[in-house]
């Protein structure tokens, strides 16, 4: 959800940033215009949130602009700033986020109509804290262009195989482990490595390993870890690199000082350490290529940019596949977050067809590391049929993904409620009874017809009572659909995601208990236990 991008036909609000600054938590809100139906153009992000003070800041979000035939609704004001606890380190803060769009609704037969398109946007950014220098030597980074280098043993992470057991694969609509037992991935998104911070958010006030421990203690068995290609480049630097190991204790487990193991580490090496901690605690990792540039989700519609070619995108994935080969903690590669806009499926245009690019990249990864599951998201539009960014898998009906090992394919959709964008189906007289047919048309047919297993890679909620209570009704209906069959990663762990906030409160340690309680019935055991 988070990290989001630029809209075109339909745009939505979703950006709010929160972070510690001289002991106070500042919230900044950005917005994009929202429109439904017709052709509408979302404006550039406008409006700034107030700096949190005793009474909290405020934010003004202007309305979007409607296109021909489009009906435009004004964006609502974001919440004010929330005071943080004193004495935390780092400046600024970021959250990424926002999906939107108006997609086609199913007719009586359950097939999608041609109405609307979707998108989602917004961005929240925690600005860099105190700087610092990276230690010289020992860093494995990908060059700015060209082939991914060989990864010598000495340059590989030292956490080799830490999680008991082996890897995962798909048979029919089920995800199976190395023993042939049915499993599900049920976890959280913890974002930050894809933002300008180039580090998982919250580690300016929490220890990274303590964060992973809390995730495991709450029973989540996987972390979807967003990253941007920029973290692989020489000179990439975490915004709080100069403060690691200089503060503490951690509010959850008392680690003191916090993040000592991250001192002098590059963003890629920080990712290594998060993966190492996850392995030690029995949590699996899905690597999610969220953007090419830090916070690039606002502008990137497809898997390549002017700076990162398709070839470089594939080379970067192969580099990571080789780097973590044999490490059973890293189980899956989510190839590209939320293809949308010009991204197509089965159109016959190699410049925009996401399905052919996904096949090319997935097969390159499997040639380098045959153990990973390849996660392929949907697009926003298939033909004229629209849905959430990354949520439309109707193209699978005519152009299914073909990998060298079909058992290593897992499809993924993103699903959000009316807080993110008030899609027309949320106002349907038959809501929420209309949702199952909608989901069947967009992605659930894959599960129903045993065409594959689905990961709902993002879904989230801030307030059950929002939108006249429709937000909570949608959430309950989604959880009922997930049941004991779907894999999922909740958006998100971080509190600083504008549309949904997260599973932690703004102190970065207190769980939002009602969300945890709602998720628990659909959670699966730790993999291998």
């Amino acid at each position: 959800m988070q990290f989001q991008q630029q809209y075109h036909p339909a745009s939505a609000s979703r950006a709010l940033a929160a972070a510690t600054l001289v002991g106070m938590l500042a919230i900044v809100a950005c917005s994009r215009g929202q429109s439904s139906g017709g052709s509408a153009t979302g404006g550039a992000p406008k409006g700034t949130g107030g700096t949190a003070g005793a009474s909290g800041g405020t934010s003004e979000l202007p309305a979007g602009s409607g296109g021909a035939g489009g009906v435009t609704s004004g964006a609502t004001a974001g919440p004010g700033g929330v005071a943080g606890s004193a004495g935390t380190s780092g400046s600024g803060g970021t959250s990424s986020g926002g999906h939107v769009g108006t997609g086609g609704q199913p007719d009586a037969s359950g097939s999608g109509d041609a109405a609307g398109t979707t998108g989602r946007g917004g961005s929240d950014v925690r600005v860099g804290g105190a700087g610092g220098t990276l230690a010289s030597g020992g860093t494995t980074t990908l060059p700015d262009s060209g082939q991914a280098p060989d990864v010598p043993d000495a340059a590989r992470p030292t956490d080799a195989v830490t999680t008991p057991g082996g890897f995962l694969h798909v048979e029919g609509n089920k995800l199976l482990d190395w023993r042939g037992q049915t499993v599900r991935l049920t976890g959280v998104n913890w974002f930050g490595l894809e933002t300008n911070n180039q580090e998982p958010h919250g580690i300016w006030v929490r220890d990274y390993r303590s964060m992973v421990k809390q995730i495991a203690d709450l029973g989540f068995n996987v972390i979807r870890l967003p990253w941007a290609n920029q973290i692989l480049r020489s000179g990439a630097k975490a915004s709080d690199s100069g403060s690691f190991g200089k503060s503490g204790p951690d509010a959850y487990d008392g680690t003191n000082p916090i993040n000592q193991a991250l001192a002098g580490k590059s963003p890629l090496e920080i990712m290594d350490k998060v993966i190492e901690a996850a392995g030690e605690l029995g949590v699996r990792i899905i690597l999610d290529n969220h953007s090419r540039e830090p916070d690039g989700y606002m502008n990137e519609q497809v898997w390549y940019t002017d700076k990162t070619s398709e070839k470089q995108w594939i080379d970067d994935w192969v580099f990571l596949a080789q780097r973590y080969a044999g490490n059973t903690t890293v189980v899956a590669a989510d190839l590209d977050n939320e293809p949308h806009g010009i991204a197509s499926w089965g159109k016959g245009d190699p410049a925009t067809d996401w399905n052919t690019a996904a096949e090319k990249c997935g097969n390159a990864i499997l040639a380098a590391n045959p153990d990973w599951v390849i996660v392929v998201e949907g697009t926003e539009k298939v033909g004229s049929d629209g849905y959430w960014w990354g949520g439309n898998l109707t193209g699978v009906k005519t152009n299914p993904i073909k990998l060298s090992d079909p058992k290593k394919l897992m499809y993924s959709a993103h699903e959000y409620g009316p807080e993110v964008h008030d899609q027309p189906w949320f106002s349907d007289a038959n809501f929420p009874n209309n949702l199952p047919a909608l989901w069947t048309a967009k992605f659930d047919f894959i599960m129903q017809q045993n065409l594959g297993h689905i990961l709902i890679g993002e879904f989230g909620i801030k307030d059950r009572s929002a939108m006249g209570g429709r937000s909570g009704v949608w959430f309950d209906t989604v959880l009922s659909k997930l049941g004991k069959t779907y894999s999922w990663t909740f958006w998100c762990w971080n509190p600083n995601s504008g549309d949904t906030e997260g599973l932690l409160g703004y102190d970065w340690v207190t769980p939002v208990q009602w969300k945890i309680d709602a998720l628990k019935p659909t959670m699966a055991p730790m993999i291998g236990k």
Side-chain angles (χ1 to χ4, degrees):
M1 151 177 202
Q2 157 212 340
F3 337 90
Q4 288 37 305
Q5 32 261 7
Q6 182 115 8
Y7 303 128
H8 46 306
S11 307
S13 69
R14 182 179 186 191
L16 168 66
T20 41
L21 177 58
V22 191
M24 303 297 290
L25 194 65
I27 295 184
V28 179
C30 287
S31 155
R32 287 196 159 290
Q34 299 182 353
S35 65
S36 60
S39 167
T41 303
K46 297 179 182 177
T48 56
T51 302
S55 61
T58 59
S59 126
E60 304 249 350
L61 307 182
S65 59
V71 179
T72 305
S73 59
T76 56
V82 180
S85 56
T88 55
S89 63
S91 64
T94 102
S95 145
S96 23
H99 320 300
V100 287
T102 55
Q105 301 183 65
D107 56 25
S109 65
S111 61
D113 64 22
T117 57
T118 78
R120 79 174 196 191
S123 87
D124 315 314
V125 182
R126 176 177 181 276
V127 221
T133 56
L134 294 175
S136 59
T139 303
T140 305
T141 55
L142 200 61
D144 293 338
S145 62
Q147 294 287 342
D150 291 334
V151 185
D153 291 340
R156 293 184 186 277
T158 56
D159 49 304
V161 181
T162 53
T163 303
F167 295 96
L168 310 177
H169 66 278
V170 173
E171 293 185 17
N173 65 3
K174 297 185 183 303
L175 183 66
L176 305 180
D177 68 10
W178 59 98
R179 303 164 299 184
Q181 296 184 4
T182 300
V183 295
R184 290 183 301 124
L185 297 169
T186 56
V188 299
N189 287 270
W190 181 17
F191 69 79
L193 277 166
E194 83 297 353
T195 71
N196 280 313
N197 298 85
Q198 300 187 73
E199 65 188 37
H201 282 190
I203 62 173
W204 50 82
V205 68
R206 288 285 305 278
D207 181 76
Y208 78 97
R209 194 180 188 283
S210 175
M211 284 278 226
V212 178
K213 184 178 188 301
Q214 188 175 12
I215 290 170
D217 288 347
L218 287 170
F220 297 106
N221 66 19
V222 69
I223 297 170
R224 183 173 178 257
L225 193 64
W227 61 280
N229 296 70
Q230 176 60 32
I231 72 167
L232 305 184
R233 307 293 176 250
S234 59
K237 183 166 134 180
S239 62
D240 288 294
S241 60
S243 63
F244 294 144
K246 296 181 180 180
S247 63
D250 180 87
Y252 182 71
D253 70 357
T255 298
N256 194 16
I258 63 173
N259 301 314
Q260 191 167 30
L262 303 185
K265 300 294 186 185
S266 69
L268 176 59
E269 291 168 327
I270 290 173
M271 186 159 75
D272 291 342
K273 298 302 289 184
V274 170
I275 291 170
E276 178 183 6
E280 292 170 353
L281 293 162
V283 176
R284 304 301 171 115
I285 295 289
I286 299 170
L287 294 178
D288 156 43
N289 189 198
H290 219 78
S291 60
R292 270 33 69 192
E293 296 298 314
D295 287 317
Y297 43 82
M298 285 297 296
N299 302 307
E300 298 173 7
Q301 299 181 11
V302 291
W303 55 96
Y304 60 89
T305 66
D306 290 342
K307 292 183 178 180
T308 303
S309 66
E310 177 181 279
K311 179 180 182 300
Q312 185 65 59
W313 169 67
I314 294 174
D315 288 346
D316 288 352
W317 265 123
V318 169
F319 168 75
L320 291 178
Q322 292 173 337
R323 184 175 184 83
Y324 300 118
N327 186 334
T328 56
T329 301
V330 185
V331 295
D334 193 338
L335 300 184
D336 183 44
N337 183 69
E338 297 185 344
H340 68 283
I342 64 171
S344 55
W345 191 299
K347 182 180 178 181
D349 184 350
T352 63
D353 269 356
W354 166 233
N355 58 308
T356 56
E359 289 177 356
K360 188 185 302 184
C361 184
N363 284 326
I365 290 172
L366 291 176
N369 182 345
D371 294 320
W372 278 5
V373 169
I374 305 300
V375 179
V376 179
E377 298 184 25
T379 52
E380 171 195 353
K381 295 181 68 178
V382 177
S384 60
D385 177 57
Y387 198 55
W388 296 106
W389 292 7
N392 191 342
L393 284 163
T394 59
V396 172
K397 297 174 183 177
T398 54
N399 294 280
I401 298 295
K402 298 177 182 178
L403 296 180
S404 56
D405 184 352
K407 292 184 177 181
K408 288 297 182 176
L409 169 65
M410 180 162 62
Y411 290 107
S412 179
H414 291 184
E415 172 68 25
Y416 281 97
E419 284 178 299
V420 173
H421 183 63
D422 196 5
Q423 302 274 20
W425 48 84
F426 298 126
S427 300
D428 189 277
N430 198 32
F431 175 81
N433 295 326
N434 59 330
L435 294 180
L438 175 68
W439 294 334
T440 292
K442 305 304 183 184
F443 58 81
D444 192 45
F445 69 91
I446 292 174
M447 294 284 280
Q448 293 175 13
Q449 298 175 28
N450 289 320
L451 299 177
H453 185 72
I454 290 183
L455 166 76
I456 300 297
E458 294 184 18
F459 71 108
I461 184 174
K462 180 192 294 185
D463 181 1
R464 287 188 58 88
S465 65
M467 312 301 290
R470 287 179 293 139
S471 180
V473 172
W474 163 81
F475 189 50
D476 292 341
T477 309
V478 166
L479 292 176
S480 177
K481 165 55 65 177
L482 296 178
K484 301 291 186 181
T485 56
Y486 273 77
S487 289
W488 51 263
T489 45
F490 185 81
W491 190 269
C492 57
W493 180 243
N494 313 42
N496 60 329
S497 181
D499 287 354
T500 62
E501 296 183 351
L503 292 177
L504 292 183
Y506 280 105
D507 61 0
W508 284 95
V509 67
T510 305
V512 180
Q513 197 58 48
W514 73 266
K515 294 185 185 182
I516 302 292
D517 292 342
L519 292 170
K520 276 192 177 297
T522 68
M523 290 169 63
M526 304 302 278
I527 304 295
K529 294 186 179 179

